[in-house]
Amino acid sequence: MNDGHTTRTMHLAAHFPGVNNTTVWAGPPASPTTTPGRSATRSPSFGSQIEFSSFEHLARTAERGLFDFFFLAEGLRLREHNGRIHDLDVVGRPESITVLNALAAVTERLGLAATVNTTFNEPYELARRLASLDHLSGGRAAWNVVTSSDAFTGENFRRGGYLDRADRYTRAAEFVATARELWDSWPEGGAPGTFDHTGPQFRISGRFGVPRGPQGHPVVIQAGDSDEGREFAASAADIIFTRHGTLEAGRAFYADVKRRLAEHGRAPEDLKIMPGVTFVLGDTAAEAQEKAAEIRRQQVSPQTALLTLEQIWGVDLSGYDPDGPLPDFDPDPDSQLAQGRVRHGDPRALAAKWRALSEEKGLSIRQTVIEATGRQSFIGTPEAVAEEMTAFVRADAADGFILVPHLTPGGLDEFVDRVVPLLQECGAFRTRYEGTTLREHLGLSRPVAKSSAASGT
C-alpha cells in the first residue's frame, strides 16, 4: 500500500438499533449478555425506542467519540407476522426527522441522518423539512434515501398502492434531483427564486420556502447493494450504506462503486463507502468469542428462530421444535405471512442452502438460524478490533463504518471508551472535529449554488 493508503483516516457513524434483529432489549447495562431477551420489555435504566433519553444517550456518546453522524432508520408501518405485531415493533417506530430536530439542540458537531422514503413522500415537503433541519443544526443534516415496492406499507398512504420494483429507483432518482433543484432555487445570500420542474414523476413550480442551508445541500446517503442501488449511489449519493463482508468482498464492492463514479463525472472522493457493522469486545480473544456467541443466542431465541424460519418457508411452523430438524418441504414463495419485511432472494434456494448447512453440521433449527444469519462483524480485544477496522480502510475495502450496537442506548459506550483511543493513537481516526458541518467532517465539497433557478428535466 502506498503512503496515501497507510495514512488514510476512517469515518465513523452510529446507527440507533431500535427495531431490527440485532437488538437485545433485556439485560442491565453492567451485564448486557447475561439475560436472554427477545421481547420489547424495557430495562428500567435503559429506556425504549420511543423515549428521547435513549436517542440522546447514543447521540451524545457518538459525539463524544467524534463520530461523523448519527443515523436513524425508518418504519412506515409496524411489521406483522401471522397477523401479530412483530415483537420489536411494539415499542413504536417514531418519525426520524422529528427526533433529529430535537437532537440538534443537545449536540453541537454530530451529523444527523434521517432515513426517508421517496416512494411515499413528495419532493417539496421533504426538501423543506431537510433544509429546516440543516438550518436548525448549523449544517449537520443528512438524508438516507430509501425506496419501497411493498403494497403492505402502501396501504398506510393515500395512494394505497406501491411502485413496481423497476420504477422505485426511477422515482428516487428524479426525487433527489428535484429536491436539489429546490435547494438551489434560493440563491446564496439572495432573495428566493422560482423553480419549475416537469418530469415523468413530478410536475411542480413555485418558490421554495427555506433559504439555502449551511451545507448547500444536506448530505445524501443511499442504502443498497444491488446493481441498480450501486448505480444510483454513484450518480446521486454522497455516502453508500452497504453490507459488511470479507476483506476481499469489500475490496471488490469498493472498486466497483468507485469505478462507476467517473461515468457520472464524479471523483472517487465524492462518494464515501460505509458498511454497517457490529462489534463485540473482550479482554481476550476467547472472552470476546464467548460474549459474541451469547449475544447471538439472545438475538435468536427459540421463538425467534421459528419466526425467522417462517419468514422463509411462509407457513406457520409454531408446532415445530426449535431444537429439532428443519422442515423437509419447500417454502411457499407467494406467502404473505410476514408483512412489512423484505424476503430476500428465492425462498426455495435459501431453504435448500439452509438444509444443506443443517445436514452438514448436524444443526437444529435454532442452531441453523444462528449459523446462517447475521453475525458480529468485528470480534476481539479492543486492540484487535481497531487493527482490523484500520486494515479494511487502508486496503480500500471501505471508507469507514456505520456501527450498529446490539444494546439500546448504551451499546456504543464501550467502543468509544476502548477502541476510539486506539484508532486515534495509530492515526486512523480524528482527534478533534476540524469543521462544524457534516460535509466538512466527511471531506465533501459544498455544492455550488446555481446562478439561476433550476429547470425541469
Side-chain angles (χ1 to χ4, degrees), residues 81 149-150 165 243 307-315 330-351:
H81 187 90
S149 61
D150 180 12
R165 290 188 64 85
R243 298 176 185 174
L307 292 177
T308 303
L309 215 64
E310 288 179 352
Q311 290 160 19
I312 298 172
W313 261 261
V315 297
D330 287 335
D332 174 6
D334 299 318
S335 171
Q336 296 297 309
L337 186 74
Q339 299 271 39
R341 298 179 67 89
V342 178
R343 298 180 83 189
H344 295 285
D346 177 3
R348 292 183 179 180
L350 185 58

Side-chain angles (χ1 to χ4, degrees), residues 245-270:
T246 64
L247 180 65
E248 293 75 17
R251 294 187 70 179
F253 181 89
Y254 190 98
D256 177 58
V257 173
K258 294 285 187 176
R259 172 189 58 78
R260 297 172 189 244
L261 290 165
E263 300 170 8
H264 300 280
R266 305 179 69 196
E269 60 271 18
D270 291 339

Side-chain angles (χ1 to χ4, degrees), residues 213-248:
Q215 295 187 106
H217 301 165
V219 170
V220 171
I221 306 170
Q222 153 67 11
D225 291 300
S226 67
D227 185 74
E228 58 187 356
R230 297 182 191 198
E231 194 63 25
F232 178 57
S235 67
D238 300 304
I239 300 170
I240 183 166
F241 176 35
T242 181
R243 298 176 185 174
H244 174 79
T246 64
L247 180 65
E248 293 75 17

Side-chain angles (χ1 to χ4, degrees), residues 357-387:
L357 174 66
S358 176
E359 292 170 3
E360 177 189 354
K361 297 190 175 182
L363 303 177
S364 67
I365 289 175
R366 185 184 183 196
Q367 290 169 333
T368 301
V369 174
I370 290 174
E371 179 77 13
T373 57
R375 61 187 64 208
Q376 294 86 351
S377 308
F378 297 109
I379 305 172
T381 63
E383 293 79 8
V385 168
E387 182 178 348

Side-chain angles (χ1 to χ4, degrees), residues 349-434:
L350 185 58
K353 180 180 178 181
W354 282 27
R355 276 199 293 259
L357 174 66
S358 176
E359 292 170 3
E360 177 189 354
K361 297 190 175 182
L363 303 177
S364 67
I365 289 175
R366 185 184 183 196
Q367 290 169 333
T368 301
V369 174
I370 290 174
E371 179 77 13
T373 57
R375 61 187 64 208
Q376 294 86 351
S377 308
F378 297 109
I379 305 172
T381 63
E383 293 79 8
V385 168
E387 182 178 348
E388 188 176 2
M389 293 178 74
T390 301
F392 260 80
V393 172
R394 291 180 175 172
D396 286 342
D399 291 309
F401 304 96
I402 298 177
L403 273 65
V404 186
H406 68 275
L407 282 175
T408 302
L412 195 64
D413 296 19
E414 188 177 18
F415 185 93
V416 168
D417 291 337
R418 304 187 67 186
V419 179
V420 167
L422 298 173
L423 295 172
Q424 293 169 330
E425 286 176 13
C426 69
F429 190 59
R430 66 170 62 93
T431 56
R432 61 188 178 94
Y433 287 117
E434 298 291 342

